[in-house]
Coordinates of all heavy atoms in Angstrom, one line a residue:
H1 N 0.9 -1.2 0.0 CA 0.0 0.0 0.0 C 1.0 1.2 0.0 O 2.2 1.1 0.2 CB -0.9 0.0 1.2 CG -0.2 0.2 2.5 ND1 0.4 -0.9 3.2 CD2 0.3 1.2 3.3 CE1 1.0 -0.5 4.3 NE2 0.9 0.9 4.2
N2 N 0.4 2.4 -0.1 CA 1.0 3.7 0.0 C 0.1 4.6 0.8 O -1.0 4.8 0.5 CB 1.4 4.3 -1.4 CG 2.2 5.5 -1.2 OD1 1.9 6.4 -0.5 ND2 3.3 5.4 -1.9
R3 N 0.8 5.0 1.9 CA 0.1 5.9 2.9 C 0.5 7.3 2.6 O 0.0 8.2 3.4 CB 0.3 5.5 4.2 CG 1.7 5.5 4.7 CD 1.9 5.0 6.1 NE 2.1 3.7 6.3 CZ 2.4 2.9 7.3 NH1 2.6 3.6 8.5 NH2 2.5 1.7 7.3
S4 N 1.1 7.7 1.6 CA 1.5 9.1 1.4 C 0.3 9.8 0.8 O -0.4 9.2 -0.1 CB 2.7 9.2 0.4 OG 2.9 10.5 0.0
S5 N 0.1 11.0 1.0 CA -0.9 11.8 0.2 C -0.6 12.2 -1.2 O -1.3 12.8 -1.8 CB -1.4 13.0 1.1 OG -0.2 13.9 1.2
Y6 N 0.7 11.9 -1.5 CA 1.2 12.3 -2.8 C 0.9 11.2 -3.8 O 1.0 10.1 -3.6 CB 2.7 12.7 -2.8 CG 2.9 13.9 -2.1 CD1 3.3 14.0 -0.8 CD2 2.8 15.2 -2.9 CE1 3.5 15.3 -0.1 CE2 3.0 16.3 -2.2 CZ 3.4 16.3 -0.9 OH 3.6 17.7 -0.3
D7 N 0.8 11.5 -5.0 CA 0.9 10.8 -6.3 C 1.6 11.7 -7.4 O 2.0 12.8 -7.1 CB -0.5 10.3 -6.8 CG -1.4 11.6 -7.0 OD1 -0.9 12.8 -7.3 OD2 -2.7 11.3 -7.1
F8 N 1.8 11.0 -8.6 CA 2.7 11.8 -9.6 C 2.0 13.0 -10.0 O 2.7 14.1 -10.1 CB 2.9 10.9 -10.6 CG 4.0 9.9 -10.5 CD1 3.8 8.6 -10.3 CD2 5.3 10.3 -10.2 CE1 4.7 7.6 -10.0 CE2 6.2 9.4 -9.9 CZ 6.0 8.1 -9.9
K9 N 0.7 13.2 -10.0 CA 0.0 14.5 -10.3 C 0.3 15.4 -9.3 O 0.6 16.6 -9.7 CB -1.5 14.2 -10.4 CG -2.3 15.3 -11.0 CD -3.8 15.0 -11.1 CE -4.4 16.2 -11.7 NZ -5.4 15.8 -12.6
K10 N 0.2 15.1 -7.9 CA 0.4 16.2 -7.0 C 1.9 16.4 -6.9 O 2.3 17.6 -6.6 CB 0.1 15.6 -5.5 CG -1.5 15.6 -5.4 CD -1.8 15.2 -4.0 CE -3.4 15.0 -3.8 NZ -3.7 14.5 -2.5
I11 N 2.7 15.6 -7.1 CA 4.2 15.9 -7.1 C 4.5 16.8 -8.3 O 5.3 17.8 -8.1 CB 5.1 14.5 -7.2 CG1 4.8 13.7 -6.0 CG2 6.6 14.8 -7.4 CD1 5.4 12.2 -6.3
A12 N 4.0 16.4 -9.4 CA 4.2 17.4 -10.5 C 3.6 18.7 -10.5 O 4.1 19.7 -11.0 CB 3.7 16.7 -11.8
A13 N 2.6 18.9 -9.7 CA 2.0 20.3 -9.5 C 2.7 21.2 -8.6 O 2.6 22.4 -8.6 CB 0.5 19.9 -8.8
D14 N 3.8 20.8 -8.0 CA 4.7 21.5 -7.1 C 6.1 21.5 -7.6 O 6.9 20.7 -7.1 CB 4.5 21.0 -5.7 CG 5.4 21.9 -4.6 OD1 6.0 23.0 -5.1 OD2 5.4 21.7 -3.4
A15 N 6.4 22.1 -8.7 CA 7.7 22.1 -9.3 C 8.9 22.4 -8.5 O 9.9 21.9 -8.7 CB 7.8 22.8 -10.6
T16 N 8.7 23.3 -7.5 CA 9.8 23.6 -6.6 C 10.1 22.6 -5.6 O 11.2 22.7 -5.0 CB 9.6 25.0 -6.0 OG1 8.4 25.0 -5.2 CG2 9.4 26.0 -7.0
N17 N 9.3 21.6 -5.2 CA 9.6 20.7 -4.2 C 9.4 19.3 -4.7 O 9.1 18.4 -3.9 CB 8.6 20.9 -3.0 CG 8.7 22.3 -2.4 OD1 9.8 22.4 -1.9 ND2 7.7 23.1 -2.5
V18 N 9.8 19.0 -6.0 CA 9.7 17.7 -6.6 C 10.4 16.6 -5.8 O 9.9 15.5 -5.4 CB 10.0 17.8 -8.0 CG1 10.1 16.3 -8.6 CG2 9.2 18.5 -8.8
A19 N 11.6 16.9 -5.3 CA 12.6 15.9 -4.7 C 11.9 15.5 -3.4 O 11.8 14.4 -3.0 CB 13.9 16.4 -4.6
A20 N 11.6 16.5 -2.5 CA 11.0 16.3 -1.2 C 9.7 15.5 -1.3 O 9.4 14.6 -0.5 CB 10.8 17.5 -0.5
N21 N 8.8 15.9 -2.3 CA 7.5 15.2 -2.4 C 7.7 13.9 -2.9 O 6.9 12.9 -2.5 CB 6.6 16.1 -3.3 CG 6.3 17.4 -2.6 OD1 6.4 17.7 -1.3 ND2 5.8 18.4 -3.3
L22 N 8.6 13.6 -3.8 CA 8.8 12.3 -4.5 C 9.3 11.4 -3.3 O 8.9 10.2 -3.2 CB 9.7 12.3 -5.5 CG 10.2 11.0 -6.3 CD1 8.7 10.3 -6.7 CD2 11.1 11.3 -7.4
R23 N 10.2 11.8 -2.5 CA 10.7 11.0 -1.3 C 9.6 10.8 -0.3 O 9.4 9.6 0.1 CB 11.8 11.7 -0.6 CG 13.1 11.7 -1.4 CD 14.2 12.4 -0.5 NE 15.6 12.2 -1.2 CZ 16.2 13.2 -1.8 NH1 15.7 14.4 -2.0 NH2 17.3 12.8 -2.4
N24 N 8.7 11.7 -0.2 CA 7.4 11.4 0.7 C 6.6 10.3 0.1 O 6.2 9.5 0.8 CB 6.7 12.7 0.9 CG 5.4 12.6 1.7 OD1 4.5 11.9 1.3 ND2 5.5 13.3 2.9
F25 N 6.5 10.5 -1.2 CA 5.7 9.4 -1.9 C 6.4 8.0 -1.8 O 5.7 7.0 -1.4 CB 5.5 9.7 -3.4 CG 4.9 8.6 -4.2 CD1 3.4 8.4 -4.0 CD2 5.6 7.9 -5.1 CE1 2.8 7.5 -4.9 CE2 4.9 7.0 -6.0 CZ 3.5 6.8 -5.8
I26 N 7.6 7.9 -2.0 CA 8.3 6.6 -1.9 C 8.2 6.1 -0.3 O 8.2 5.0 -0.2 CB 9.8 6.8 -2.4 CG1 9.8 7.0 -3.8 CG2 10.7 5.7 -1.9 CD1 11.2 7.4 -4.4
N27 N 8.5 7.0 0.6 CA 8.4 6.6 2.0 C 7.2 6.1 2.4 O 7.0 5.6 3.5 CB 9.0 7.8 2.9 CG 10.6 7.8 2.6 OD1 11.3 6.9 2.3 ND2 11.0 9.1 2.9
G28 N 6.1 6.5 1.8 CA 4.7 6.1 2.0 C 4.4 4.7 1.8 O 3.4 4.3 2.2
F29 N 5.2 4.0 1.0 CA 5.0 2.6 0.6 C 5.2 1.7 1.8 O 6.0 2.0 2.7 CB 5.8 2.2 -0.5 CG 5.4 2.6 -1.9 CD1 5.9 3.7 -2.5 CD2 4.2 1.8 -2.5 CE1 5.4 4.1 -3.7 CE2 3.9 2.3 -3.7 CZ 4.3 3.3 -4.4
S30 N 4.6 0.7 1.9 CA 4.8 -0.4 2.9 C 6.2 -0.9 2.9 O 6.9 -0.8 1.8 CB 3.7 -1.6 2.7 OG 3.6 -2.0 1.5
V31 N 6.6 -1.5 4.0 CA 8.0 -2.0 4.1 C 8.4 -2.8 2.9 O 9.5 -2.6 2.4 CB 8.2 -2.6 5.4 CG1 9.6 -3.3 5.5 CG2 8.0 -1.7 6.6
G32 N 7.7 -3.8 2.6 CA 8.0 -4.7 1.4 C 8.2 -4.1 0.2 O 9.2 -4.4 -0.5
A33 N 7.4 -3.2 0.0 CA 7.5 -2.4 -1.4 C 8.6 -1.5 -1.4 O 9.5 -1.3 -2.4 CB 6.2 -1.5 -1.7
R34 N 9.0 -0.8 -0.2 CA 10.0 0.1 0.0 C 11.4 -0.6 -0.2 O 12.3 -0.2 -0.8 CB 10.0 0.8 1.3 CG 9.7 2.2 1.2 CD 9.9 3.1 2.5 NE 10.0 2.4 3.6 CZ 9.1 2.2 4.6 NH1 7.9 2.4 4.3 NH2 9.4 1.5 5.6

């Protein structure tokens, strides 16, 4: 599962914080997926 509120659409909507938001998205995955 992913418990982050981000998806690619939300990440792309904030061009100045792409790296931080992408990390938030990745860290939102369950342990096995991460």
